[in-house]
Amino acid sequence: MVDAFGREITYLRISVTDRCNYRCRYCMEEGGVVPYTHADILSFEEIAEIAESAAALGIRKIRLTGGEPLVRRGVVDLCKMLRSIPDLSELTMTTNGSLLAPLAKPLREAGVDRLNISLDTLDPEKFHSMTRGGSLSDVLNGLDAAEAAGFLGTKLNVVLIGGFNDEEIPTFAALTKERVICVRFIELMPIGCAAGWNSKTFLSSEAVKRALPELEFLERDGVSERYRLPGSLGTIGLISPIHAKFCSRCDRIRLTSDGQLKPCLHSAMEYPLRGLHGDALMEALQQAIWAKPKEHHMDTTHSSDTMRRMFEIGG
């Protein structure tokens, strides 16, 4: 499928739950939120039906997200269901890694091709504070388990936060020297809890280039620019939704756990898919893709237009 601006849409992100076992400060209120009930969220069968229809329209890559996808019971079974879709070429997942250690091997056996692990600091105390109770060792154990299970090309997603982890840029980059991973630095976005944060926390990805002047440019990889430190096995990725808007290259749509299709992360526009089947479902998907906006309006002075918080949409 091609949208109204000629972009080929091949990538669907599916949020399987709004629940998360962390309360990261830029994502969720300290007291948490009232989660959707089981009846509110799509069943695995509903997700699979939507995914099959999307694949028939040209979707080739699906990423499962949350909240935290691994808190949803039976998510490995969902992975098996999605992997059986004939036209799907890649199934991936974004996770905070805290529950990954015992599930890495079952996920790999279920057909998950690659993992993204969110990790914003390598300091145990700062990690505990940012996540409001999380354990850094759980995530690092998950990363090791993913490697042992045979996952290749694992990506570490690091949200750049001025005054919090900017001094850790070289430490994160050093992980690529002996691991075949990609450490991706992502600009903090003014969405949800972070919308009202001090402007100094919103760093440009140029901060990474300043901290790592020896970086060698490799290529553009989707919405990311990839670099390498000399002699390293892994790579560095820069994702700049604020300071280097990449909307013209965006190839994705998003399905929320309660069945709304979002053509753009930062738009308030949503298309209800729950309860639709056959031609009606296909038509709704086509309408949503055609309505994908040209670009978002978010910048250093304007927050995201979406009415949802990030954990309700999926990272």
Side-chain angles (χ1 to χ4, degrees), residues 3 34 43 71 76 86 95 134 158 175-176 185 188 191 261 271-272 276:
D3 71 7
V34 178
S43 68
V71 305
V76 172
T95 171
V158 184
L175 295 177
T176 68
F185 295 98
L188 176 67
I191 180 174
L261 192 76
Y271 286 77
L276 301 180

Side-chain angles (χ1 to χ4, degrees), residues 93-143:
M93 177 181 288
T94 294
T95 171
N96 63 32
S98 62
L99 305 174
L100 182 57
L103 289 172
K105 185 177 180 182
L107 288 170
R108 188 71 189 94
E109 292 174 344
V112 177
D113 297 294
R114 190 170 47 75
L115 296 171
N116 284 17
I117 300 175
S118 301
L119 180 59
D120 299 327
T121 176
L122 293 168
D123 181 296
E125 292 185 4
K126 288 165 64 176
F127 184 90
H128 188 272
S129 175
M130 174 57 74
T131 59
R132 296 191 174 103
S135 169
L136 176 62
S137 62
D138 290 342
V139 182
L140 297 180
N141 289 339
L143 178 61

Side-chain angles (χ1 to χ4, degrees), residues 137-178:
S137 62
D138 290 342
V139 182
L140 297 180
N141 289 339
L143 178 61
D144 290 338
E147 189 174 84
F151 279 104
L152 302 175
T154 297
K155 297 177 180 179
L156 286 187
N157 289 344
V158 184
V159 176
L160 279 173
I161 306 173
F164 174 72
N165 61 7
D166 43 323
E167 293 184 355
E168 294 187 70
I169 292 173
T171 308
F172 271 110
L175 295 177
T176 68
K177 291 183 178 180
E178 298 181 357

